[in-house]
Amino acid sequence: MGVDRLWADWRSEYVSIADDDRDKTGCVICNLVNATDDEEALVLERTPDTITVMNLYPYGSGHLMVAPVLHAAAFDDLDDAVNVAIARAQLRALRAIRAAYRPDGVNLGANLGKAAGAGVPGHLHVHVLPRWNGDTNFMTSIGEVRVLPESLRTGYEKLKAAWPG
């Protein structure tokens, strides 16, 4: 039995222009770190070592990213204290997602480097994404469209209200 393939060539352009050269384009995550209006920037939480934000190109409703404040490409570029801070921020994000969305499951992961699919390969970030049984449908598979039932602003407000602490 062979493996079927669904070609997503539309992603090639996005990945090829991803920010791996801060001198040319600036780092989108560093720009969020430096933003002064958290509500406008959809920043859910800041700590001295981490930032948690809504993903502007979400796979689904409630898709978050947790990143170190420090511009670093991989976990091993960070000291142990920052790695622990990232893990704790992921746990808070997970709790907020469960409280706000009551998903059937959650994807938690990082794409390290362009070859792994990182959209911003120069700045490590961990995706925290609620998932539901049957949340991939014909619109994604055939129409190359993701249907999100709420706006980013609505998701931000829902998660902000559910944020632990």
Side-chain angles (χ1 to χ4, degrees):
M1 179 176 224
V3 174
D4 288 333
R5 288 176 176 77
L6 176 61
W7 300 101
D9 56 335
W10 54 268
R11 183 142 165 76
S12 176
E13 181 181 353
Y14 174 71
V15 172
S16 69
I17 62 171
D19 172 35
D20 60 354
D21 186 350
R22 292 179 64 206
D23 295 332
K24 286 184 187 172
T25 61
C27 173
V28 67
I29 296 174
C30 287
N31 290 341
L32 289 166
V33 167
N34 294 322
T36 57
D37 185 342
D38 283 353
E39 188 172 338
E40 177 69 24
L42 301 174
V43 174
L44 289 158
E45 179 187 67
R46 291 177 184 271
T47 72
D49 294 317
T50 66
I51 185 169
T52 302
V53 300
M54 300 293 295
N55 187 328
L56 293 180
Y57 302 98
Y59 183 83
S61 298
H63 186 168
L64 309 180
M65 297 186 308
V66 175
V69 168
L70 180 67
H71 185 88
F75 292 104
D76 52 352
D77 293 336
L78 302 167
D79 66 28
D80 289 348
V82 175
N83 276 305
V84 168
I86 291 169
R88 288 181 175 152
Q90 290 174 70
L91 183 57
R92 289 188 296 277
L94 179 64
R95 287 177 176 153
I97 283 172
R98 284 184 174 153
Y101 287 96
R102 308 255 186 255
D104 296 322
V106 178
N107 287 129
L108 184 73
N111 303 320
L112 303 179
K114 259 188 186 181
V120 184
H123 200 133
L124 164 69
H125 54 285
V126 179
H127 296 268
V128 187
L129 171 64
R131 299 300 303 269
W132 292 269
N133 295 326
D135 67 3
T136 298
N137 61 32
F138 77 96
M139 291 295 290
T140 303
S141 301
I142 296 172
E144 297 181 7
V145 173
R146 293 215 198 306
V147 177
L148 292 99
E150 67 184 11
S151 70
L152 284 173
R153 179 67 47 204
T154 299
Y156 174 82
E157 290 168 3
K158 187 183 287 187
L159 286 162
K160 195 70 175 168
W163 205 261

